[in-house]
Amino acid sequence: MTRYDRRDLGLLLLRLGTGGVLAAHGAQKLFGWFGGGGIAGTGHFMESVGYAPGKASAAAAGLAEAGGGTLLALGLATPAAGAAAAGAMAGAAAVHTPAGFFNQSGGYEYAASLGLAALGLAVAGPGRLSLDHALAHRFDRGWMVPTALAATAAGTALVVGARARRLREKKEGEQEPLFEE
């Protein structure tokens, strides 16, 4: 097995694992599969953590995860797929950041790992064992990588920034106890 064959096999395994996990998470949000809340339940959760409107936020996150994950697994439109999935994971990481890094404490470790893997695939490309390669990279051009990453970064910054602003405004209306009991 040549070095290039190993690289392509490694990218395939990374795409299948990362894409499969992301697609399953998206299916939880969109369809309620695998114990998920579907659009209604996930929408309620999204509202509770500051993403509004909740149902639209659930649909956007679900589509980015399910669509991005499926496309990553297939190795199709890899720059856009990886960027979309990474953006969704950045939004998830923002929710978990107050709990610290480690997932066992509710931290952002898991979301960050999935997001970085998706981002890495967007940058590295899908390898030769992919639909992008089979289609002569029509949806995986060099210019698509910075374009997809910049568009996703801008959109994610707006959404996460709006969430942070809503949470700050909500907290301003609350008063902390003057004395501890």
Side-chain angles (χ1 to χ4, degrees), residues 8-23:
D8 291 325
L9 182 58
L11 287 169
L12 173 65
L13 293 172
L14 185 58
R15 285 193 351 258
L16 290 174
T18 303
V21 169
L22 286 162

Side-chain angles (χ1 to χ4, degrees), residues 22-112:
L22 286 162
H25 276 272
Q28 287 181 308
K29 291 172 179 64
L30 294 174
F31 311 117
W33 295 353
F34 314 116
I39 293 289
T42 304
H44 182 353
F45 170 75
M46 294 292 237
E47 287 271 352
S48 76
V49 295
Y51 287 114
K55 285 185 179 181
S57 297
L63 287 171
E65 292 175 13
T70 299
L71 291 172
L72 278 176
L74 294 171
L76 181 61
T78 304
M89 291 299 98
V95 171
H96 295 281
T97 296
F101 178 71
F102 290 104
N103 189 51
Q104 70 190 37
S105 302
Y108 64 92
E109 168 189 19
Y110 186 64

Side-chain angles (χ1 to χ4, degrees), residues 144-163:
M144 293 175 179
V145 174
T147 303
L149 295 178
T152 299
T156 301
L158 289 172
V159 170
V160 172
R163 173 189 178 263

